[in-house]
PDB file of all heavy atoms in Angstrom:
ATOM      1  N   LEU O1141       4.158 -16.959 -13.732  1.00 78.00           N
ATOM      2  CA  LEU O1141       4.438 -16.780 -12.423  1.00 78.00           C
ATOM      3  C   LEU O1141       3.947 -15.386 -11.971  1.00 78.00           C
ATOM      4  O   LEU O1141       3.602 -15.136 -10.889  1.00 78.00           O
ATOM      5  CB  LEU O1141       5.914 -16.948 -12.098  1.00 78.00           C
ATOM      6  CG  LEU O1141       6.435 -16.926 -10.756  1.00 78.00           C
ATOM      7  CD1 LEU O1141       5.751 -18.170 -10.010  1.00 78.00           C
ATOM      8  CD2 LEU O1141       7.849 -17.038 -10.572  1.00 78.00           C
ATOM      9  N   ILE O1142       4.066 -14.357 -12.899  1.00 79.00           N
ATOM     10  CA  ILE O1142       3.688 -13.059 -12.529  1.00 79.00           C
ATOM     11  C   ILE O1142       2.142 -12.905 -12.258  1.00 79.00           C
ATOM     12  O   ILE O1142       1.719 -12.198 -11.379  1.00 79.00           O
ATOM     13  CB  ILE O1142       4.064 -12.014 -13.609  1.00 79.00           C
ATOM     14  CG1 ILE O1142       3.764 -10.617 -13.283  1.00 79.00           C
ATOM     15  CG2 ILE O1142       3.279 -12.341 -14.920  1.00 79.00           C
ATOM     16  CD1 ILE O1142       4.644 -10.049 -12.172  1.00 79.00           C
ATOM     17  N   GLU O1143       1.355 -13.817 -13.060  1.00 83.00           N
ATOM     18  CA  GLU O1143       0.020 -13.892 -12.722  1.00 83.00           C
ATOM     19  C   GLU O1143      -0.461 -14.360 -11.354  1.00 83.00           C
ATOM     20  O   GLU O1143      -1.417 -14.007 -10.828  1.00 83.00           O
ATOM     21  CB  GLU O1143      -0.759 -14.629 -13.850  1.00 83.00           C
ATOM     22  CG  GLU O1143      -0.735 -14.104 -15.298  1.00 83.00           C
ATOM     23  CD  GLU O1143      -1.170 -14.989 -16.209  1.00 83.00           C
ATOM     24  OE1 GLU O1143      -1.743 -16.063 -15.947  1.00 83.00           O
ATOM     25  OE2 GLU O1143      -0.890 -14.646 -17.412  1.00 83.00           O
ATOM     26  N   ILE O1144       0.288 -15.236 -10.865  1.00 87.00           N
ATOM     27  CA  ILE O1144       0.047 -15.866  -9.534  1.00 87.00           C
ATOM     28  C   ILE O1144       0.364 -14.688  -8.446  1.00 87.00           C
ATOM     29  O   ILE O1144      -0.504 -14.723  -7.539  1.00 87.00           O
ATOM     30  CB  ILE O1144       0.932 -16.994  -9.275  1.00 87.00           C
ATOM     31  CG1 ILE O1144       0.667 -18.128 -10.271  1.00 87.00           C
ATOM     32  CG2 ILE O1144       0.769 -17.612  -7.903  1.00 87.00           C
ATOM     33  CD1 ILE O1144       1.581 -19.336 -10.361  1.00 87.00           C
ATOM     34  N   PHE O1145       1.487 -13.925  -8.484  1.00 90.00           N
ATOM     35  CA  PHE O1145       1.919 -13.224  -7.532  1.00 90.00           C
ATOM     36  C   PHE O1145       1.402 -11.633  -7.720  1.00 90.00           C
ATOM     37  O   PHE O1145       1.601 -10.835  -6.844  1.00 90.00           O
ATOM     38  CB  PHE O1145       3.370 -13.120  -7.295  1.00 90.00           C
ATOM     39  CG  PHE O1145       3.876 -14.363  -6.708  1.00 90.00           C
ATOM     40  CD1 PHE O1145       4.556 -15.381  -7.478  1.00 90.00           C
ATOM     41  CD2 PHE O1145       3.628 -14.637  -5.300  1.00 90.00           C
ATOM     42  CE1 PHE O1145       5.022 -16.430  -6.935  1.00 90.00           C
ATOM     43  CE2 PHE O1145       4.058 -15.873  -4.804  1.00 90.00           C
ATOM     44  CZ  PHE O1145       4.845 -16.704  -5.583  1.00 90.00           C
ATOM     45  N   LEU O1146       0.660 -11.496  -8.699  1.00 89.00           N
ATOM     46  CA  LEU O1146       0.162 -10.051  -9.057  1.00 89.00           C
ATOM     47  C   LEU O1146      -0.839  -9.463  -8.005  1.00 89.00           C
ATOM     48  O   LEU O1146      -0.612  -8.412  -7.630  1.00 89.00           O
ATOM     49  CB  LEU O1146      -0.536 -10.121 -10.460  1.00 89.00           C
ATOM     50  CG  LEU O1146      -0.683  -8.593 -10.977  1.00 89.00           C
ATOM     51  CD1 LEU O1146       0.606  -7.800 -11.195  1.00 89.00           C
ATOM     52  CD2 LEU O1146      -1.401  -8.825 -12.379  1.00 89.00           C
ATOM     53  N   PRO O1147      -1.769 -10.228  -7.383  1.00 90.00           N
ATOM     54  CA  PRO O1147      -2.496  -9.567  -6.408  1.00 90.00           C
ATOM     55  C   PRO O1147      -1.749  -9.329  -5.150  1.00 90.00           C
ATOM     56  O   PRO O1147      -1.991  -8.207  -4.543  1.00 90.00           O
ATOM     57  CB  PRO O1147      -3.579 -10.698  -6.094  1.00 90.00           C
ATOM     58  CG  PRO O1147      -3.659 -11.529  -7.313  1.00 90.00           C
ATOM     59  CD  PRO O1147      -2.340 -11.480  -7.885  1.00 90.00           C
ATOM     60  N   LEU O1148      -0.862 -10.125  -4.738  1.00 93.00           N
ATOM     61  CA  LEU O1148       0.161  -9.826  -3.615  1.00 93.00           C
ATOM     62  C   LEU O1148       1.036  -8.550  -3.943  1.00 93.00           C
ATOM     63  O   LEU O1148       1.102  -7.718  -3.084  1.00 93.00           O
ATOM     64  CB  LEU O1148       0.880 -10.986  -3.275  1.00 93.00           C
ATOM     65  CG  LEU O1148       1.793 -10.906  -2.105  1.00 93.00           C
ATOM     66  CD1 LEU O1148       1.096 -10.659  -0.858  1.00 93.00           C
ATOM     67  CD2 LEU O1148       2.869 -12.049  -1.967  1.00 93.00           C
ATOM     68  N   ILE O1149       1.568  -8.445  -5.128  1.00 93.00           N
ATOM     69  CA  ILE O1149       2.344  -7.201  -5.420  1.00 93.00           C
ATOM     70  C   ILE O1149       1.458  -6.041  -5.370  1.00 93.00           C
ATOM     71  O   ILE O1149       1.815  -5.006  -4.913  1.00 93.00           O
ATOM     72  CB  ILE O1149       3.067  -7.551  -6.800  1.00 93.00           C
ATOM     73  CG1 ILE O1149       4.030  -8.677  -6.763  1.00 93.00           C
ATOM     74  CG2 ILE O1149       3.732  -6.203  -7.271  1.00 93.00           C
ATOM     75  CD1 ILE O1149       4.615  -9.049  -8.067  1.00 93.00           C
ATOM     76  N   ASP O1150       0.281  -6.116  -5.842  1.00 93.00           N
ATOM     77  CA  ASP O1150      -0.717  -4.969  -5.922  1.00 93.00           C
ATOM     78  C   ASP O1150      -1.140  -4.558  -4.491  1.00 93.00           C
ATOM     79  O   ASP O1150      -1.053  -3.363  -4.253  1.00 93.00           O
ATOM     80  CB  ASP O1150      -1.937  -5.414  -6.661  1.00 93.00           C
ATOM     81  CG  ASP O1150      -2.834  -4.295  -6.931  1.00 93.00           C
ATOM     82  OD1 ASP O1150      -2.416  -3.252  -7.037  1.00 93.00           O
ATOM     83  OD2 ASP O1150      -4.160  -4.492  -6.754  1.00 93.00           O
ATOM     84  N   LEU O1151      -1.266  -5.645  -3.597  1.00 95.00           N
ATOM     85  CA  LEU O1151      -1.588  -5.276  -2.283  1.00 95.00           C
ATOM     86  C   LEU O1151      -0.447  -4.529  -1.577  1.00 95.00           C
ATOM     87  O   LEU O1151      -0.632  -3.534  -0.781  1.00 95.00           O
ATOM     88  CB  LEU O1151      -1.971  -6.585  -1.459  1.00 95.00           C
ATOM     89  CG  LEU O1151      -2.399  -6.443  -0.070  1.00 95.00           C
ATOM     90  CD1 LEU O1151      -3.703  -5.701   0.067  1.00 95.00           C
ATOM     91  CD2 LEU O1151      -2.466  -7.713   0.690  1.00 95.00           C
ATOM     92  N   ILE O1152       0.747  -5.079  -1.673  1.00 96.00           N
ATOM     93  CA  ILE O1152       1.903  -4.444  -1.045  1.00 96.00           C
ATOM     94  C   ILE O1152       2.268  -3.055  -1.579  1.00 96.00           C
ATOM     95  O   ILE O1152       2.438  -2.093  -0.804  1.00 96.00           O
ATOM     96  CB  ILE O1152       3.100  -5.233  -1.237  1.00 96.00           C
ATOM     97  CG1 ILE O1152       2.946  -6.617  -0.470  1.00 96.00           C
ATOM     98  CG2 ILE O1152       4.418  -4.625  -0.813  1.00 96.00           C
ATOM     99  CD1 ILE O1152       3.919  -7.700  -0.806  1.00 96.00           C
ATOM    100  N   LEU O1153       1.991  -2.893  -3.003  1.00 96.00           N
ATOM    101  CA  LEU O1153       2.279  -1.483  -3.508  1.00 96.00           C
ATOM    102  C   LEU O1153       1.285  -0.499  -3.019  1.00 96.00           C
ATOM    103  O   LEU O1153       1.631   0.674  -2.727  1.00 96.00           O
ATOM    104  CB  LEU O1153       2.183  -1.655  -5.116  1.00 96.00           C
ATOM    105  CG  LEU O1153       2.262  -0.426  -5.687  1.00 96.00           C
ATOM    106  CD1 LEU O1153       3.594   0.255  -5.703  1.00 96.00           C
ATOM    107  CD2 LEU O1153       1.824  -0.560  -7.282  1.00 96.00           C
ATOM    108  N   LYS O1154      -0.019  -1.001  -3.046  1.00 96.00           N
ATOM    109  CA  LYS O1154      -1.016   0.080  -2.496  1.00 96.00           C
ATOM    110  C   LYS O1154      -0.977   0.449  -1.141  1.00 96.00           C
ATOM    111  O   LYS O1154      -1.125   1.370  -0.597  1.00 96.00           O
ATOM    112  CB  LYS O1154      -2.385  -0.433  -2.933  1.00 96.00           C
ATOM    113  CG  LYS O1154      -2.772  -0.440  -4.414  1.00 96.00           C
ATOM    114  CD  LYS O1154      -4.054  -0.749  -4.662  1.00 96.00           C
ATOM    115  CE  LYS O1154      -4.394  -0.760  -6.262  1.00 96.00           C
ATOM    116  NZ  LYS O1154      -5.569  -1.257  -6.600  1.00 96.00           N
ATOM    117  N   THR O1155      -0.474  -0.666  -0.236  1.00 97.00           N
ATOM    118  CA  THR O1155      -0.337  -0.447   1.160  1.00 97.00           C
ATOM    119  C   THR O1155       0.624   0.641   1.301  1.00 97.00           C
ATOM    120  O   THR O1155       0.650   1.584   2.202  1.00 97.00           O
ATOM    121  CB  THR O1155       0.035  -1.667   1.964  1.00 97.00           C
ATOM    122  OG1 THR O1155      -0.909  -2.630   1.818  1.00 97.00           O
ATOM    123  CG2 THR O1155       0.299  -1.418   3.398  1.00 97.00           C
ATOM    124  N   VAL O1156       1.873   0.537   0.672  1.00 97.00           N
ATOM    125  CA  VAL O1156       2.986   1.497   0.773  1.00 97.00           C
ATOM    126  C   VAL O1156       2.542   2.876   0.280  1.00 97.00           C
ATOM    127  O   VAL O1156       2.862   3.886   0.905  1.00 97.00           O
ATOM    128  CB  VAL O1156       4.228   1.024  -0.012  1.00 97.00           C
ATOM    129  CG1 VAL O1156       5.257   2.001  -0.214  1.00 97.00           C
ATOM    130  CG2 VAL O1156       4.781  -0.197   0.569  1.00 97.00           C
ATOM    131  N   LEU O1157       1.767   2.884  -0.882  1.00 97.00           N
ATOM    132  CA  LEU O1157       1.183   4.221  -1.383  1.00 97.00           C
ATOM    133  C   LEU O1157       0.256   4.838  -0.320  1.00 97.00           C
ATOM    134  O   LEU O1157       0.311   5.996  -0.123  1.00 97.00           O
ATOM    135  CB  LEU O1157       0.593   3.985  -2.717  1.00 97.00           C
ATOM    136  CG  LEU O1157       1.521   3.773  -3.911  1.00 97.00           C
ATOM    137  CD1 LEU O1157       0.561   3.561  -5.106  1.00 97.00           C
ATOM    138  CD2 LEU O1157       2.422   4.957  -4.081  1.00 97.00           C
ATOM    139  N   TYR O1158      -0.658   4.133   0.287  1.00 97.00           N
ATOM    140  CA  TYR O1158      -1.586   4.504   1.265  1.00 97.00           C
ATOM    141  C   TYR O1158      -0.701   5.089   2.452  1.00 97.00           C
ATOM    142  O   TYR O1158      -1.107   6.281   2.984  1.00 97.00           O
ATOM    143  CB  TYR O1158      -2.530   3.616   1.956  1.00 97.00           C
ATOM    144  CG  TYR O1158      -3.696   3.476   1.090  1.00 97.00           C
ATOM    145  CD1 TYR O1158      -3.997   2.316   0.274  1.00 97.00           C
ATOM    146  CD2 TYR O1158      -4.701   4.517   1.138  1.00 97.00           C
ATOM    147  CE1 TYR O1158      -5.215   2.310  -0.470  1.00 97.00           C
ATOM    148  CE2 TYR O1158      -5.822   4.442   0.350  1.00 97.00           C
ATOM    149  CZ  TYR O1158      -6.067   3.424  -0.573  1.00 97.00           C
ATOM    150  OH  TYR O1158      -7.261   3.260  -1.254  1.00 97.00           O
ATOM    151  N   ILE O1159       0.350   4.587   2.863  1.00 96.00           N
ATOM    152  CA  ILE O1159       1.248   4.951   4.063  1.00 96.00           C
ATOM    153  C   ILE O1159       1.808   6.361   3.623  1.00 96.00           C
ATOM    154  O   ILE O1159       1.812   7.228   4.298  1.00 96.00           O
ATOM    155  CB  ILE O1159       2.162   3.966   4.422  1.00 96.00           C
ATOM    156  CG1 ILE O1159       1.575   2.672   5.077  1.00 96.00           C
ATOM    157  CG2 ILE O1159       3.245   4.545   5.299  1.00 96.00           C
ATOM    158  CD1 ILE O1159       2.441   1.406   5.232  1.00 96.00           C
ATOM    159  N   VAL O1160       2.338   6.360   2.424  1.00 96.00           N
ATOM    160  CA  VAL O1160       3.090   7.564   1.919  1.00 96.00           C
ATOM    161  C   VAL O1160       2.189   8.598   1.831  1.00 96.00           C
ATOM    162  O   VAL O1160       2.489   9.847   2.375  1.00 96.00           O
ATOM    163  CB  VAL O1160       3.820   7.324   0.646  1.00 96.00           C
ATOM    164  CG1 VAL O1160       4.307   8.557   0.011  1.00 96.00           C
ATOM    165  CG2 VAL O1160       4.969   6.331   0.820  1.00 96.00           C
ATOM    166  N   VAL O1161       1.014   8.532   1.215  1.00 96.00           N
ATOM    167  CA  VAL O1161       0.052   9.596   0.955  1.00 96.00           C
ATOM    168  C   VAL O1161      -0.589  10.117   2.319  1.00 96.00           C
ATOM    169  O   VAL O1161      -0.746  11.262   2.472  1.00 96.00           O
ATOM    170  CB  VAL O1161      -1.013   9.129  -0.015  1.00 96.00           C
ATOM    171  CG1 VAL O1161      -2.234  10.175  -0.309  1.00 96.00           C
ATOM    172  CG2 VAL O1161      -0.420   9.049  -1.400  1.00 96.00           C
ATOM    173  N   ILE O1162      -0.882   9.103   3.108  1.00 95.00           N
ATOM    174  CA  ILE O1162      -1.559   9.584   4.407  1.00 95.00           C
ATOM    175  C   ILE O1162      -0.512  10.306   5.246  1.00 95.00           C
ATOM    176  O   ILE O1162      -0.830  11.247   5.985  1.00 95.00           O
ATOM    177  CB  ILE O1162      -2.120   8.308   5.132  1.00 95.00           C
ATOM    178  CG1 ILE O1162      -3.334   7.948   4.267  1.00 95.00           C
ATOM    179  CG2 ILE O1162      -2.448   8.577   6.587  1.00 95.00           C
ATOM    180  CD1 ILE O1162      -4.078   6.663   4.967  1.00 95.00           C
ATOM    181  N   ARG O1163       0.807   9.908   5.262  1.00 94.00           N
ATOM    182  CA  ARG O1163       1.865  10.653   5.911  1.00 94.00           C
ATOM    183  C   ARG O1163       2.118  11.987   5.438  1.00 94.00           C
ATOM    184  O   ARG O1163       2.342  12.987   6.197  1.00 94.00           O
ATOM    185  CB  ARG O1163       3.110   9.885   6.154  1.00 94.00           C
ATOM    186  CG  ARG O1163       2.986   8.481   6.821  1.00 94.00           C
ATOM    187  CD  ARG O1163       2.807   8.582   8.220  1.00 94.00           C
ATOM    188  NE  ARG O1163       2.725   7.282   8.699  1.00 94.00           N
ATOM    189  CZ  ARG O1163       1.996   6.902   9.747  1.00 94.00           C
ATOM    190  NH1 ARG O1163       1.160   7.752  10.289  1.00 94.00           N
ATOM    191  NH2 ARG O1163       2.001   5.624  10.122  1.00 94.00           N
ATOM    192  N   MET O1164       1.924  12.126   4.120  1.00 95.00           N
ATOM    193  CA  MET O1164       2.129  13.400   3.472  1.00 95.00           C
ATOM    194  C   MET O1164       1.068  14.411   3.869  1.00 95.00           C
ATOM    195  O   MET O1164       1.241  15.583   3.962  1.00 95.00           O
ATOM    196  CB  MET O1164       2.031  13.373   1.835  1.00 95.00           C
ATOM    197  CG  MET O1164       3.427  12.808   1.387  1.00 95.00           C
ATOM    198  SD  MET O1164       3.417  12.548  -0.413  1.00 95.00           S
ATOM    199  CE  MET O1164       2.481  13.924  -1.162  1.00 95.00           C
ATOM    200  N   ARG O1165      -0.184  13.924   4.203  1.00 93.00           N
ATOM    201  CA  ARG O1165      -1.295  14.840   4.589  1.00 93.00           C
ATOM    202  C   ARG O1165      -1.308  14.927   6.187  1.00 93.00           C
ATOM    203  O   ARG O1165      -2.113  15.658   6.627  1.00 93.00           O
ATOM    204  CB  ARG O1165      -2.552  14.066   4.268  1.00 93.00           C
ATOM    205  CG  ARG O1165      -2.991  14.041   2.735  1.00 93.00           C
ATOM    206  CD  ARG O1165      -3.275  15.386   2.139  1.00 93.00           C
ATOM    207  NE  ARG O1165      -4.472  15.833   2.671  1.00 93.00           N
ATOM    208  CZ  ARG O1165      -4.929  17.054   2.621  1.00 93.00           C
ATOM    209  NH1 ARG O1165      -4.167  17.884   1.916  1.00 93.00           N
ATOM    210  NH2 ARG O1165      -5.971  17.520   3.148  1.00 93.00           N
ATOM    211  N   LYS O1166      -0.298  14.318   6.721  1.00 93.00           N
ATOM    212  CA  LYS O1166      -0.021  14.652   8.268  1.00 93.00           C
ATOM    213  C   LYS O1166      -1.234  14.010   8.971  1.00 93.00           C
ATOM    214  O   LYS O1166      -1.696  14.600   9.987  1.00 93.00           O
ATOM    215  CB  LYS O1166       0.260  16.016   8.562  1.00 93.00           C
ATOM    216  CG  LYS O1166       1.498  16.458   8.017  1.00 93.00           C
ATOM    217  CD  LYS O1166       1.836  17.853   8.368  1.00 93.00           C
ATOM    218  CE  LYS O1166       3.246  18.440   7.838  1.00 93.00           C
ATOM    219  NZ  LYS O1166       3.270  18.424   6.459  1.00 93.00           N
ATOM    220  N   LEU O1167      -1.814  12.958   8.579  1.00 92.00           N
ATOM    221  CA  LEU O1167      -2.856  12.132   9.370  1.00 92.00           C
ATOM    222  C   LEU O1167      -2.301  11.015  10.265  1.00 92.00           C
ATOM    223  O   LEU O1167      -1.354  10.441   9.725  1.00 92.00           O
ATOM    224  CB  LEU O1167      -3.789  11.743   8.346  1.00 92.00           C
ATOM    225  CG  LEU O1167      -4.548  12.721   7.477  1.00 92.00           C
ATOM    226  CD1 LEU O1167      -5.559  12.009   6.454  1.00 92.00           C
ATOM    227  CD2 LEU O1167      -5.429  13.576   8.301  1.00 92.00           C
ATOM    228  N   GLU O1168      -2.983  10.746  11.197  1.00 90.00           N
ATOM    229  CA  GLU O1168      -2.451   9.520  12.038  1.00 90.00           C
ATOM    230  C   GLU O1168      -3.389   8.493  11.814  1.00 90.00           C
ATOM    231  O   GLU O1168      -4.592   8.371  12.336  1.00 90.00           O
ATOM    232  CB  GLU O1168      -2.600  10.034  13.546  1.00 90.00           C
ATOM    233  CG  GLU O1168      -1.721  11.113  13.925  1.00 90.00           C
ATOM    234  CD  GLU O1168      -0.193  10.673  13.785  1.00 90.00           C
ATOM    235  OE1 GLU O1168       0.091   9.475  14.131  1.00 90.00           O
ATOM    236  OE2 GLU O1168       0.548  11.595  13.415  1.00 90.00           O
ATOM    237  N   VAL O1169      -2.899   7.521  10.933  1.00 91.00           N
ATOM    238  CA  VAL O1169      -3.599   6.297  10.559  1.00 91.00           C
ATOM    239  C   VAL O1169      -2.676   5.200  10.819  1.00 91.00           C
ATOM    240  O   VAL O1169      -1.509   5.297  10.421  1.00 91.00           O
ATOM    241  CB  VAL O1169      -4.057   6.401   9.181  1.00 91.00           C
ATOM    242  CG1 VAL O1169      -4.765   5.022   8.824  1.00 91.00           C
ATOM    243  CG2 VAL O1169      -5.076   7.465   8.985  1.00 91.00           C
ATOM    244  N   SER O1170      -3.200   3.924  11.309  1.00 92.00           N
ATOM    245  CA  SER O1170      -2.274   2.833  11.655  1.00 92.00           C
ATOM    246  C   SER O1170      -1.937   2.222  10.267  1.00 92.00           C
ATOM    247  O   SER O1170      -2.648   2.402   9.274  1.00 92.00           O
ATOM    248  CB  SER O1170      -2.935   1.958  12.578  1.00 92.00           C
ATOM    249  OG  SER O1170      -4.175   1.182  11.917  1.00 92.00           O
ATOM    250  N   ILE O1171      -0.958   1.436  10.223  1.00 94.00           N
ATOM    251  CA  ILE O1171      -0.476   0.673   9.131  1.00 94.00           C
ATOM    252  C   ILE O1171      -1.512  -0.527   8.843  1.00 94.00           C
ATOM    253  O   ILE O1171      -1.656  -0.767   7.627  1.00 94.00           O
ATOM    254  CB  ILE O1171       0.865   0.019   9.349  1.00 94.00           C
ATOM    255  CG1 ILE O1171       1.955   1.180   9.450  1.00 94.00           C
ATOM    256  CG2 ILE O1171       1.410  -0.909   8.303  1.00 94.00           C
ATOM    257  CD1 ILE O1171       3.396   0.706   9.832  1.00 94.00           C
ATOM    258  N   LYS O1172      -2.087  -0.986   9.815  1.00 95.00           N
ATOM    259  CA  LYS O1172      -3.135  -1.985   9.662  1.00 95.00           C
ATOM    260  C   LYS O1172      -4.409  -1.445   8.784  1.00 95.00           C
ATOM    261  O   LYS O1172      -4.781  -2.079   7.911  1.00 95.00           O
ATOM    262  CB  LYS O1172      -3.783  -2.505  10.978  1.00 95.00           C
ATOM    263  CG  LYS O1172      -4.754  -3.500  10.866  1.00 95.00           C
ATOM    264  CD  LYS O1172      -5.197  -4.107  12.196  1.00 95.00           C
ATOM    265  CE  LYS O1172      -6.019  -2.937  12.884  1.00 95.00           C
ATOM    266  NZ  LYS O1172      -6.652  -3.516  14.179  1.00 95.00           N
TER     267      LYS O1172
END
């Protein structure tokens, strides 16, 4: 089951990491 949802988990994790790192750099980028 983990192999099926691994790409979705990876996408969600990296989206959250991009939001955090971009906000730390004080840049204005949309969540999209």
Side-chain angles (χ1 to χ4, degrees):
L1141 190 62
I1142 187 73
E1143 294 173 4
I1144 296 171
F1145 291 109
L1146 194 60
L1148 181 63
I1149 294 169
D1150 185 38
L1151 181 69
I1152 292 170
L1153 173 69
K1154 287 183 183 176
T1155 302
V1156 170
L1157 286 175
Y1158 271 110
I1159 291 170
V1160 168
V1161 171
I1162 287 174
R1163 299 292 181 212
M1164 283 176 41
R1165 295 286 299 164
K1166 295 181 176 72
L1167 299 174
E1168 294 296 325
V1169 177
S1170 65
I1171 295 175
K1172 180 177 76 173

